[in-house]
Amino acid sequence: MDLTKIRGIGEKLAKKIVDSFGSHEALESAIGNFEVDKLSRIEGVSQSKAIEIINAALGNPKEEFLKTGRTIQIYNDVIARILSYAHTKYGKNRILLISPTKDVSKIQENLDFVMNSKKAISNLPIDEIKNLLKKVNPSWENKPKYDPTRALLVESREDYNQLLDMDLNKYCTIMTTEELESLEDYEFVVYIYSTGQIEIDDTYNVAMVTSDSTEYEIVPETVLSYFYTNYDLLGNILKIKDILGRESVIPEVLEILDSLESAKVDESMFNDAVEDAKTHADLKLKESIKKVDLKGDEVLALMNEGMPAKIQKIFDGVIKEAINEIKDKTGCVFDPFIPKYPIEIDYHEFERVKRQEISKQHLKAFDKKVIAASRLSSLKEMTESEIHEILEFDYEFALGCFAYYYDLNPPQIGDEFNFKEGIHLNLALENNFNIQKIDYSLKTPENVALLTGANSGGKTTLLETLAQISVMTQMGLPVCASEATVKLVDEVYFFSKKRSLDAGAFESFLNTFMPVVTTDTHKLVLLDELEAITELEAAVKIIASFIDLLKDSDSYAVIVTHMARELMKFTQVRVDGIEAKGLDDDYNLLVDRTPKMNYLAKSTPELILRMIYEKSDGKLKEIYGQMLEKF
């Protein structure tokens, strides 16, 4: 695709976009995967621009279909309602890409997808899934931190450069045999050998790997860090997959990661074990020595020769217990104690042994990490696929919830507009027995209809409901009606009520409206009380002319008006009416909101006045009463 054909993208930005993906093919792959997030991370590309790029690449003609501001508002309202059920950035971006189309196969494919989602959602613990999806994001690639206590040792400059090419210098020191001073300068060294020219028999902190080893066999954290970083994410992904009854490799991944916990080298473990053992030994010595009864010759021996046998035996026993305590906590056998009271620690010996044991643990941990990295590297692609699967599920979940809670049903594609038990989306979630669902039909040869009737009777709501059903159908969404047949159109126009326009504004309106009747595209045109566009007699003649032009086209139109009688003097057109029956006991308007076909209904403003009169008091009620007397 030529990015420069998209408004606001010049050659410089287009090149930057392609370069950031590495190739045109990679960009097209990202577009095919709806990766709005990746596109919008490029400097100069906003989220809306990323969506525009993908829509342009996929041929989504939203701007060609939604021809007026009111129609765009209806589309945006539908999108906003679906967005309220999405929890991930990916899911929300996918929803923002839903666009109207005339492609019947695409519409049917999406309808099947949404209806299957609706069915699946109805059998799931929705609240539990919502809470889990809030914790789901794309995986994060986090590189290991530089470790100054570790080094990589190579035999030649060629091997050195090979590790540099692998970027392993970002994680620890790399040195050749010429640069080596002492292996003991590092807690842990990985010797990458070709010929094995370095003697390491007496060392305890060196692991050996061959020069043809992979990156993770030298620095296993290059693989492990990804899984450590995304550990909590993977746990949440697994919980969702368990609920959905889907297979997963994540249990194995988490088991491997958990097994590495025991391989972690904890230097504080040695310090704590020795200090705790010393404390316990001092208490035991104090209590034991209190019970010792020394004879005269034993006291003389203590003064002349040092520790008597009785005391020595106590020390030996207590220190032996202390050594066993250290072994239980660290797995290592060593004696860092000097037999005095209180017992002293030989810190030089302790540090020597601790360093040696920590190095041994590093070796064991390294071997475990390499084995783990080897297996996890083979599972990474499947793991990422599962993360993407749940991000896709959030999109599916949002659409399913929208269809489930609004009780949407799939429309049929046909050559007319016809729906039964339709309801405006604003009313669909309300639990009110007074809300009335409506039926309506518009078909050839009566492809244009005037809609007349009571003020506040629901004429504008019917127009908006018809617009919602038309737009949602071409978005591939089920609609808010028990049954619906919808004609696919090229354009939807919705002109709302306007105050009387001055000459300039009136001319502007005509210029906006003229393409409706001068182009050959199939349209749905909805007009809401446009008689105020100019003075009454002229407005009637203009609207009547529009009606005649629309009748002779392949378009459909519904026009809400209070001037049906006047219009019928200039054109032959079907007239439908919403009839007000009166007021109920609480002075609310009683209206049959389903229009009667071929019926001119009165606007009944006196009923509105009566309703307001009954609900008013004082001077205001008196004025409304005076008005009513004139009817």
Side-chain angles (χ1 to χ4, degrees), residues 161-177:
N161 290 333
Q162 181 179 330
L163 297 191
L164 286 181
D165 291 341
M166 296 165 73
D167 286 334
L168 295 185
N169 58 310
K170 293 180 179 179
Y171 312 126
C172 58
T173 299
I174 303 175
M175 57 184 176
T176 62
T177 52

Side-chain angles (χ1 to χ4, degrees), residues 54-115:
I54 294 177
N55 273 329
L58 298 178
N60 294 335
K62 183 174 70 174
E63 292 181 359
E64 298 171 14
F65 179 75
L66 307 169
K67 301 303 290 186
T68 60
R70 187 72 192 94
T71 315
I72 293 170
Q73 287 176 3
I74 287 170
Y75 166 83
N76 288 337
D77 177 66
V78 172
I79 291 293
R81 291 174 193 273
I82 305 171
L83 284 173
S84 68
Y85 296 106
H87 300 86
T88 67
K89 194 170 183 179
Y90 176 88
K92 291 175 182 177
N93 285 335
R94 280 293 307 272
I95 290 163
L96 291 170
L97 287 167
I98 300 174
S99 184
T101 178
K102 278 191 75 177
D103 188 323
V104 177
S105 63
K106 284 185 179 179
I107 291 172
Q108 194 58 54
E109 181 183 356
N110 208 50
L111 276 172
D112 292 342
F113 177 79
V114 178
M115 293 309 296

Side-chain angles (χ1 to χ4, degrees), residues 445-502:
E446 296 176 331
N447 59 318
V448 180
L450 301 182
L451 186 58
T452 64
N455 301 91
S456 302
K459 299 186 297 298
T460 299
T461 299
L462 187 149
L463 285 191
E464 292 179 353
T465 301
L466 179 55
Q468 287 174 350
I469 289 172
S470 173
V471 170
M472 289 170 68
T473 296
Q474 296 201 215
M475 290 170 72
L477 299 173
V479 299
C480 219
S482 62
E483 296 178 22
T485 301
V486 178
K487 177 179 173 58
L488 302 185
V489 295
D490 299 304
E491 301 166 350
V492 177
Y493 291 83
F494 194 132
F495 293 95
S496 300
K497 302 174 186 178
K498 292 182 180 291
R499 294 187 178 90
S500 183
L501 306 177
D502 59 30

Side-chain angles (χ1 to χ4, degrees), residues 198-446:
I198 303 174
E199 294 291 335
I200 60 169
D201 292 342
D202 297 330
T203 60
Y204 48 79
N205 64 336
V206 179
M208 295 179 65
V209 300
T210 60
S211 58
D212 60 354
S213 296
T214 61
E215 182 182 85
Y216 69 76
E217 288 174 320
I218 300 170
V219 182
E221 288 80 6
T222 54
V223 168
L224 298 178
S225 61
Y226 168 84
F227 292 93
Y228 284 136
T229 300
N230 296 294
Y231 184 91
D232 291 338
L233 169 63
L234 296 178
N236 288 320
I237 296 289
L238 179 58
K239 289 175 184 176
I240 295 172
K241 296 205 73 174
D242 284 343
I243 292 172
L244 300 178
R246 300 181 185 179
E247 293 184 357
S248 174
V249 300
I250 293 176
E252 182 182 354
V253 171
L254 297 181
E255 184 180 354
I256 292 171
L257 294 175
D258 291 341
S259 72
L260 293 178
E261 286 296 310
S262 61
K264 284 187 176 179
V265 178
D266 184 4
E267 184 174 340
S268 65
M269 174 181 67
F270 287 92
N271 297 334
D272 294 343
V274 171
E275 292 293 340
D276 288 347
K278 175 191 179 311
T279 300
H280 298 154
D282 285 340
L283 289 173
K284 290 175 183 177
L285 281 174
K286 185 176 182 181
E287 292 300 319
S288 298
I289 291 174
K290 283 180 181 180
K291 301 173 184 178
V292 174
D293 183 14
L294 293 179
K295 297 178 182 179
D297 58 343
E298 290 175 320
V299 173
L300 290 173
L302 178 61
M303 295 171 62
N304 297 322
E305 302 172 14
M307 192 176 297
K310 287 182 180 180
I311 303 296
Q312 184 66 54
K313 185 177 180 181
I314 292 171
F315 267 93
D316 289 345
V318 169
I319 288 176
K320 183 178 181 180
E321 289 181 17
I323 291 170
N324 287 333
E325 183 179 341
I326 293 172
K327 179 184 177 183
D328 291 340
K329 292 182 178 179
T330 67
C332 303
V333 179
F334 64 97
D335 179 6
F337 302 118
I338 299 172
K340 292 183 178 181
Y341 182 79
I343 284 179
E344 293 183 1
I345 297 173
D346 182 348
Y347 282 102
H348 178 75
E349 174 65 10
F350 174 42
E351 289 299 323
R352 184 192 69 79
V353 173
K354 182 174 73 171
R355 187 179 180 87
Q356 181 175 320
E357 292 301 327
I358 286 174
S359 295
K360 289 179 182 178
Q361 289 191 17
H362 273 301
L363 284 172
K364 291 178 183 177
F366 178 77
D367 289 340
K368 284 187 175 182
K369 286 178 179 179
V370 170
I371 294 170
S374 175
R375 178 58 181 153
L376 290 176
S377 66
S378 68
L379 296 175
K380 185 174 180 181
E381 186 176 342
M382 287 183 282
T383 301
E384 289 181 324
S385 176
E386 289 192 30
I387 293 170
H388 186 74
E389 176 190 341
I390 297 306
L391 291 172
E392 286 272 3
F393 172 72
D394 184 47
Y395 170 69
E396 177 186 344
F397 180 80
L399 287 171
C401 284
F402 176 56
Y404 175 71
Y405 284 113
Y406 282 85
D407 192 23
L408 306 182
N409 294 291
Q412 298 296 317
I413 308 301
D415 291 323
E416 62 184 89
F417 290 94
N418 185 356
F419 62 86
K420 294 181 179 179
E421 296 186 312
I423 188 169
H424 194 288
L425 290 174
N426 283 350
L427 305 174
L429 299 183
E430 293 189 19
N431 187 17
N432 188 331
F433 68 91
N434 288 322
I435 293 174
Q436 181 186 349
K437 295 184 177 182
I438 56 177
D439 303 340
Y440 196 61
S441 176
L442 195 65
K443 62 181 74 174
T444 54
E446 296 176 331

Side-chain angles (χ1 to χ4, degrees), residues 114-126:
V114 178
M115 293 309 296
N116 287 335
S117 301
K118 176 186 176 183
K119 182 179 178 181
I121 292 304
S122 66
N123 297 313
L124 293 174
I126 293 176

